[in-house]
Amino acid sequence: MINSDWYTITDVDALDTPALVIYPDRVRQNIDRLLAYVDDVSRLRPHVKTHKSPDASRLLLDAGIRKFKCATIAEAEMLAEAGASDVLLAYQPVGAKQQRLIDLIRAYPNTRFACLIDNLDTAKQLSERATAAGLTVPVYIDLNVGMNRTGILPDDQAALLYEQLATLPGIRPVGLHAYDGHLRDTDMSVRTARCDAAFAPVAQLREQLRTRGFDPIIVAGGSPTFPIHAQRPDVECSPGTFIYWDEGYGTILPEQPFEPAALVVGRVISLPTPTTLCIDIGHKSVAAEGELTQRLTFLNAPNLRATGQSEEHLTVDAGDNHPYRVGDVLYALPHHICPTVALFDRARTIEQGHLFGTWKTTARDRVLTV
């Protein structure tokens, strides 16, 4: 039933399921393909939300990448522990998170941490905390370029905010952050046109700030628009999913050369009807945000169709006279790998078809030490 292919684990009998498995050779290959997009590695600032792993981070560091982006204090701390020298918390810290950021900066003096800001009140609060701690925190203005999730429009008000931030003690404006995650057109020409249109006011804002004596860095894009922003010589790019890849982006971004490097392995645990299999991959083992039939694809059984899912169970229609038996192993490619990884505290690594080691998903925890 199982084809001998890149994903097959020869000693899978020793693997309890459901399990997240990582193929480090493919991770390295994806990193190499990432590097091929840019002429200067310093223009890469990959997001670590996909892997949340110090082991994956070290592979990126080994490739010469020094700048990173993250979404949580725990991810930022994980990066500092791994040896990253430049970390952008792509989130506006409010409330107690501001003090955690201050504590993080104190705890890891060899790492330069920055964060996002999109309003003066929050900036003043951070300014007070940083000043009291004797620190200066670099900040990027978070721009809303059409996703309508966070940030402010890249217009005169953004320029004014940048100038206001420059007058506050304890913080220092260093750049602009423009995430365009809403641009996911499969047609590359359409995606490029929309991306260029969304980026144009950001470029204009930078020029406006330059006339006022500033020289802001621009951090732009995610995975869908990475190939487009990679062509802009003065923009830092921050894709994230490239490192493990998934079915979702593999389908809508056919021009990108990345390959799946992480799977969820499961087993058939019951045959409740002549045409139904029950598999041990429930909500707690694969991201359940999408439509039921589009949460995963079984590489060695692509014709199975999901019919139901609960916390620890997935039922699928296998059709009449199917060959499956209780105990059969299935290799699932998630539709969305990022939240899937966060469901596992560790992953088994596969080298040359064998179980090899373990990578901890360290930053799935909300708090490490800070």
Side-chain angles (χ1 to χ4, degrees), residues 187-267:
D187 186 322
M188 186 62 172
S189 63
V190 174
R191 196 185 333 143
T192 299
R194 295 183 66 203
C195 178
D196 288 344
F199 184 77
V202 178
Q204 292 170 4
L205 175 60
R206 176 175 55 189
E207 293 309 310
Q208 184 178 357
L209 289 169
R210 283 175 171 171
T211 65
R212 302 181 188 185
F214 302 105
D215 190 20
I217 300 164
I218 295 180
V219 178
S223 294
T225 55
F226 166 61
I228 304 164
H229 291 301
Q231 300 301 310
R232 311 187 202 280
D234 49 1
V235 169
E236 292 183 3
C237 305
S238 53
T241 307
F242 73 91
I243 196 161
Y244 290 164
W245 212 230
D246 57 26
E247 177 73 3
Y249 275 168
T251 299
I252 69 171
L253 308 176
E255 82 286 347
Q256 297 196 26
F258 308 111
E259 295 184 348
L263 302 176
V264 176
V265 181
R267 283 185 171 88

Side-chain angles (χ1 to χ4, degrees), residues 269-293:
I269 59 171
S270 183
L271 304 174
T273 79
T275 61
T276 302
L277 316 181
C278 183
I279 302 162
D280 57 356
I281 302 179
H283 296 151
K284 294 180 178 178
S285 304
V286 69
E289 64 196 313
E291 197 275 323
L292 176 61
T293 60

